[in-house]
Amino acid sequence: MKLKKEKHIRNEQIVAELNLLKSQISPHFLFNVLNSLYALSLSKSDKTPDVILQLSDILRYSLYETQEREIPVLDEVAIIETYIAIEKMRIPDTASISFNHDAIDQTIKIAPMLLLPLIENAFKHGVDSTVGDSYIHASLSKNENCLVFICENTYKEPKTKTTQVGGIGIQNVRKRLELLYPSRHSLEIEKREGIFKVTLLILL
């Protein structure tokens, strides 16, 4: 009886922690998108109405899809493409952005908001802070029973040193992976010669 009660309490703690992590991720992501929209509105860009519609899709996703434990991975892919489309409107033309996701079908499911923060982190710390040519190259693939996500971007060291590798988005993703996919995932981060690379593996 005591063990059952302790397990119930632990489960409640996990749910509460997951909900907290989700609340930290979504506003952080939306804040950056709103900055992009604000910049377009200042320049009176004709693209502003389209961005507002795209932003509504992102809001819908963050409000409703994140309530589910797992969603079709193609839903996350679609929202990533929407996010990239918004960001590409404000970054230099010299930047190279790509996101490949061949051979991914609707039957594959993952927890929401696991891949999106990794892309958002690449834009925040890569294209935004890199002088001259820069790039973000991401890919999503399925290798047998394993989902593989790779994101590589140019990177410039911040003036203020930090002990954390990556931003708050990556730290939250790492914590959520530990809770949702214990012993079923691998998250590796490499930093070398101005390149930042994230490799995420999830056993399906």
Side-chain angles (χ1 to χ4, degrees), residues 54-190:
Q54 290 172 320
L55 181 56
S56 70
D57 290 337
I58 295 171
L59 285 168
R60 189 179 303 110
Y61 181 83
S62 66
L63 289 172
Y64 298 110
E65 296 298 327
T66 54
Q67 302 303 313
E68 302 295 329
R69 181 177 176 83
E70 287 192 326
I71 61 169
V73 71
L74 286 180
D75 290 358
E76 183 103 346
V77 166
I79 216 66
I80 286 173
E81 290 183 325
T82 299
Y83 174 79
I84 290 175
I86 292 175
E87 291 286 43
K88 286 177 74 172
M89 293 180 183
R90 67 178 185 82
I91 62 178
D93 293 336
T94 55
S96 173
I97 311 297
S98 65
F99 176 40
N100 300 315
H101 45 85
D102 298 334
I104 298 296
D105 60 60
Q106 195 70 14
T107 63
I108 303 172
K109 293 188 175 183
I110 63 168
M113 295 293 276
L114 281 180
L115 308 182
L116 184 57
L118 302 179
I119 291 285
E120 189 260 351
N121 186 77
F123 274 97
K124 181 179 179 182
H125 299 288
V127 174
D128 281 359
S129 61
T130 302
V131 178
D133 293 346
S134 57
Y135 70 82
I136 298 174
H137 295 162
S139 66
L140 181 66
S141 60
K142 183 175 179 290
N143 184 5
E144 296 182 350
N145 65 334
C146 186
L147 193 67
V148 182
F149 177 77
I150 300 174
C151 183
E152 180 177 299
N153 59 272
T154 45
Y155 177 79
K156 185 177 182 181
E157 288 287 351
K159 294 180 180 179
T160 302
K161 294 292 182 181
T162 176
T163 56
Q164 291 185 337
V165 180
I168 187 174
I170 287 184
Q171 300 305 318
N172 282 345
V173 167
R174 189 185 297 279
K175 186 62 176 177
R176 291 185 66 212
L177 285 167
E178 292 171 356
L179 293 170
L180 293 166
Y181 301 100
S183 304
R184 290 175 51 201
H185 76 277
S186 170
L187 180 62
E188 296 183 357
I189 298 176
E190 302 174 55

Side-chain angles (χ1 to χ4, degrees), residues 18-75:
L18 285 173
N19 287 335
L20 174 61
L21 290 171
K22 286 179 183 178
S23 71
Q24 289 176 327
I25 291 171
S26 298
H28 182 247
F29 159 68
L30 292 172
F31 177 76
N32 287 291
V33 177
L34 285 170
N35 275 343
S36 299
L37 183 58
Y38 178 66
L40 286 173
S41 66
L42 285 179
S43 64
K44 295 182 171 58
S45 171
D46 293 337
K47 297 176 181 178
T48 303
D50 291 335
V51 176
I52 292 174
L53 289 176
Q54 290 172 320
L55 181 56
S56 70
D57 290 337
I58 295 171
L59 285 168
R60 189 179 303 110
Y61 181 83
S62 66
L63 289 172
Y64 298 110
E65 296 298 327
T66 54
Q67 302 303 313
E68 302 295 329
R69 181 177 176 83
E70 287 192 326
I71 61 169
V73 71
L74 286 180
D75 290 358

